[in-house]
Amino acid sequence: MSNDDQLEIEVNGVTLPARKGQMLIEATDAAGIYIPRFCYHEKLSIAANCRMCLVEVEKAPKPLPACATPVMDGMKVFTASPRAISAQKATMEFLLINHPLDCPICDQGGECELQDLAMGYGRGVSRYSERKRVVRDKNLGPLISTDMTRCIHCTRCVRFGQEIAGIQELGTTGRGEHTQIGTYVEKSVDHEMSGNIIDLCPVGALNNKPYRFSARAWEMTQHASVAAHDCVGSNLFAHVYNGIAKRIVPQPNEAINETWLSDRDRFSFEGIYAADRLQSPRIRIDGEWRDCGWDEALSAVAEGLKSIAADHGPEQISGLISPSATSEEHFLFARLLRGLGSVNIDHRIRRVDFHGQEADPVAPGLGMTLADLEAQQALLVVGSDLRQEAPIAAHRVRKAAVAGADVFFVNPGNYEYLFPVAGYLDTTSSSIIDELAGLVRAAFARTETQPDANLEEVLAAAEVRPEHEAVVAKLIAAERATVLLGLIAGRHPGYSRIRMLAAALAAATGAQVGSLPEGANSGGAALAGTLPHRICGGTAAETTGLNAAEIIAAPTRGMVLMGIEPELDCANAEGLLERLADTLFCVVVTPFATPAMETYASVLLPVGTFAETAGSYLNAAGEQQEFTGFATPVGAARPGWKILRVLGNLCAVDGFDYVSAAEVTQALAAVCEDSKPSIENTGQLAPAVAGLDEGGLRVPIYAVDAVVRRARSLQLTKWGESVPDISKPADAA
């Protein structure tokens, strides 16, 4: 900041620094001087609707709103003078004319901004005796409840829709006392981040519909945690009543999720209490299932795995684990399998192309912070339904686009993004590979680069169109440019070629390459060593085992599945189920018991969900975040790391003497101390894939994992998916 931009103001007799163009309320907030407000929010535009922030400014003829008054050098401000207090009290009295006196039944009670400020600035008795107005409630969908009589017209919800979400559903109609906020034409608010208007509402007009009337704020305890359903790792607070999670709200973290939370992260916890939660260990003997204790179940697992290793060889044991399991679970899972002599370990359960996996980054990710993502001047997003894959990352890209960045897409379909798109290469009639080849050829021609031998074959038949040249020109001109590979690209049967072409394009244009990893913890999984070709820390393994596609194509005699429902979470699920039926011994460590599992599993072990365990995730920005469980485990469920620890002891594998998740975290950190998450995405020329099938690459936003699929409220939305054999959450929850 230059000296010309620096100002000094005086607030309540104290000299404060400020910057030119700053609003008064921003300067006072930075100094820790509180001014009451309703309509102002640091992430939204200035509306100056409520007038609650009126303050006295020297030489001003009347009190001024602090949110809409720019600072001036030498200005003197009084936030608590008799004149300022009188204006604030008058505003509060005005706001309460029509507000219903229903605090005892309002979900906002106890954490309501209006309630708090009324205690400080309200009158004990209203001077108004007219009838209060009544406003008809609006149906905004299954996630947000409305009590619009309580609305004070701050318009935070309207501005959020227009400025953050990019939707125009909410707006104001009428004037004066007849002003109402609604959708005009009755419809639900369909957006992957719609729940944030619940947090923004300063009164009880907009509330959490699934949580409605289930608990009071002061009855619950608050626990910090990390979201477990995408690679962003949004920070959150869980509100818990008697050990049961009741709601999730955002935990502000400017570096990751700012003050926002996706609906998937907010409401998915409902799935924890689904009726098909596995309540106790189960074992199948002579074709019959029965409940058993942990000692019997774990002993049976240990004996079964050791028997497979002894009778058929350890190479006949394979393990698949969810990319959303904690790093600690991945670490112990890999150590257990390798301790038994198996190297058939993988977490990349939706990937089908493993050519050139040796060139995979040590920990896949963006290669930049999430804040850097919004600072890019040009982005080429390849194979991504961005809003559904990572809503918070999509929000960052939207901010970049609104600020003037050129954002281009190469996709096998036309998806809606709600921000200005500079160019969209819809590859419905061709392949992503063909479009990328055209871009690379255009870049090479523009920069006079000669392709190496690996690229000549791919580029020979590439067609260069004007839109390719336009994209290349923007990438070259931008000081900060990125080629970003999405989840559709990662699941593509020609992924290795896509990655190779993306790397070549980035090198020719001066851009960098990043990717959105699968699940919540692909980076942590890779570092922890749940890979067939690398051990913990990213070191190359002496022997390369079977990758996920090979395991799925021909399951071995013994199988360990952790945190996944193969029929819904894996590529080639149909083929996998057929082969699992022939597996001699299959262990499934799972929170839920499905009818399909009972057809192929030998033992079912109930594991805690992300809400019931401790551990850490490595997000797409390479930031490791530790968390602890916040909910009482359902039934006999146990944290995954504990289950694996005991199994390691029973199987006589060294290195399983941990007594806490923190000890596992420290052990993992010690091994990975010298490993820096690499973001190199060089790729390798894979054989041409005949008859590329680009269908089935997109996983619906509310079907990404077992917990989300069971979240009743999410399944009632526009994007809800009907999943077989999944019941609503238990009434007890």
Side-chain angles (χ1 to χ4, degrees), residues 14 24 55 58 101 117 136 155-156 159 237 246 274 277 327 437-438 507 557 560 605 703 706:
V14 179
L24 179 57
V55 295
E58 187 180 58
L101 300 177
L117 291 180
R136 183 176 65 87
T155 69
R156 283 185 182 180
R159 286 175 283 149
F237 287 121
K246 287 296 183 179
R277 274 300 296 263
S327 296
R557 308 301 287 171
V560 183
L605 302 178

Side-chain angles (χ1 to χ4, degrees), residues 410-453:
V410 181
N411 275 331
N414 196 356
Y415 308 125
E416 185 180 34
Y417 290 102
L418 303 178
F419 57 75
V421 175
Y424 201 107
L425 303 180
D426 188 344
T427 66
T428 303
S429 59
S430 61
S431 92
I432 292 177
I433 295 173
D434 294 336
E435 293 294 337
L436 279 177
L439 287 165
V440 173
R441 189 166 182 176
F444 281 9
R446 191 177 183 96
T447 58
E448 299 182 350
T449 303
Q450 294 298 317
D452 58 32

Side-chain angles (χ1 to χ4, degrees), residues 61-187:
K62 60 182 181 180
L64 300 178
C67 69
T69 302
V71 296
M72 293 183 290
D73 197 28
M75 81 183 316
K76 294 184 178 180
V77 181
F78 306 92
T79 67
S81 66
R83 191 180 184 193
I85 295 294
S86 176
Q88 293 161 3
K89 286 187 173 182
T91 299
M92 175 58 67
E93 186 175 14
F94 177 77
L95 290 174
L96 292 177
I97 290 174
N98 281 309
H99 197 80
L101 300 177
D102 59 354
C103 297
I105 63 163
C106 179
D107 277 326
Q108 198 87 343
E111 52 190 6
C112 174
E113 295 176 50
L114 181 67
Q115 195 176 55
D116 293 341
L117 291 180
M119 292 294 294
Y121 301 91
R123 292 172 56 93
V125 178
S126 175
R127 290 180 290 177
Y128 295 89
S129 58
E130 294 85 354
R131 292 182 61 184
K132 294 179 180 288
R133 69 169 191 165
V134 177
V135 181
R136 183 176 65 87
D137 294 335
K138 313 296 190 296
N139 182 10
L140 301 185
L143 305 178
I144 303 164
S145 69
T146 61
D147 293 275
M148 302 311 294
T149 301
R150 301 170 184 162
C151 179
I152 61 170
H153 308 148
C154 71
T155 69
R156 283 185 182 180
C157 56
V158 177
R159 286 175 283 149
F160 172 84
Q162 295 174 346
E163 299 165 13
I164 306 300
I167 57 177
Q168 300 287 318
E169 272 87 345
L170 291 175
T172 59
T173 56
R175 298 186 67 184
E177 188 179 56
H178 303 290
T179 300
Q180 294 188 26
I181 289 180
T183 57
Y184 189 68
V185 177
E186 189 158 320
K187 61 180 294 187

Side-chain angles (χ1 to χ4, degrees), residues 256-487:
I256 299 176
N257 55 300
E258 299 178 89
T259 59
W260 314 122
L261 201 61
S262 71
D263 289 352
R264 182 168 60 193
D265 293 334
R266 184 186 298 270
F267 297 103
S268 60
F269 78 93
E270 285 185 317
I272 297 169
Y273 305 107
D276 61 347
R277 274 300 296 263
L278 183 60
Q279 298 290 325
S280 64
R282 301 186 71 198
I283 188 168
R284 182 164 61 173
I285 300 177
D286 297 329
E288 297 293 326
W289 283 99
R290 67 173 177 85
D291 295 340
C292 63
W294 272 106
D295 290 345
E296 181 182 358
L298 292 172
S299 297
V301 171
E303 291 302 317
L305 293 176
K306 290 190 291 185
S307 177
I308 293 292
D311 297 343
H312 302 278
E315 69 278 359
Q316 285 296 310
I317 299 175
S318 297
L320 295 174
I321 183 171
S322 167
S324 293
T326 67
S327 296
E328 293 70 20
E329 290 167 349
H330 281 282
F331 178 60
L332 295 179
F333 187 86
R335 178 171 286 188
L336 174 64
L337 269 290
R338 288 196 165 91
L340 291 168
S342 173
V343 290
N344 306 323
I345 311 164
D346 215 336
H347 67 273
R348 302 165 296 176
I349 53 179
R350 295 193 191 274
R351 182 168 166 179
V352 295
D353 181 10
F354 293 89
H355 291 97
Q357 65 177 5
E358 292 75 18
D360 285 357
V362 173
L366 295 171
M368 67 181 83
T369 67
L370 286 154
D372 288 338
L373 192 61
E374 68 183 65
Q376 299 301 299
Q377 296 171 330
L379 289 106
L380 175 65
V381 184
V382 181
S384 177
D385 187 355
L386 197 58
R387 286 174 56 202
Q388 302 234 344
E389 292 173 2
I392 297 296
H395 163 64
R396 296 281 193 174
V397 173
R398 183 179 189 279
K399 289 176 72 175
V402 172
D406 295 297
V407 184
F408 303 90
F409 288 90
V410 181
N411 275 331
N414 196 356
Y415 308 125
E416 185 180 34
Y417 290 102
L418 303 178
F419 57 75
V421 175
Y424 201 107
L425 303 180
D426 188 344
T427 66
T428 303
S429 59
S430 61
S431 92
I432 292 177
I433 295 173
D434 294 336
E435 293 294 337
L436 279 177
L439 287 165
V440 173
R441 189 166 182 176
F444 281 9
R446 191 177 183 96
T447 58
E448 299 182 350
T449 303
Q450 294 298 317
D452 58 32
N454 288 333
L455 286 169
E456 286 180 353
E457 176 192 340
V458 182
L459 299 183
E463 176 189 359
V464 178
R465 302 194 305 274
E467 49 264 42
H468 294 149
E469 295 175 344
V471 174
V472 168
K474 291 294 185 180
L475 291 175
I476 293 174
E479 292 183 8
R480 297 182 296 277
T482 294
V483 179
L484 180 62
L485 304 180
L487 298 186

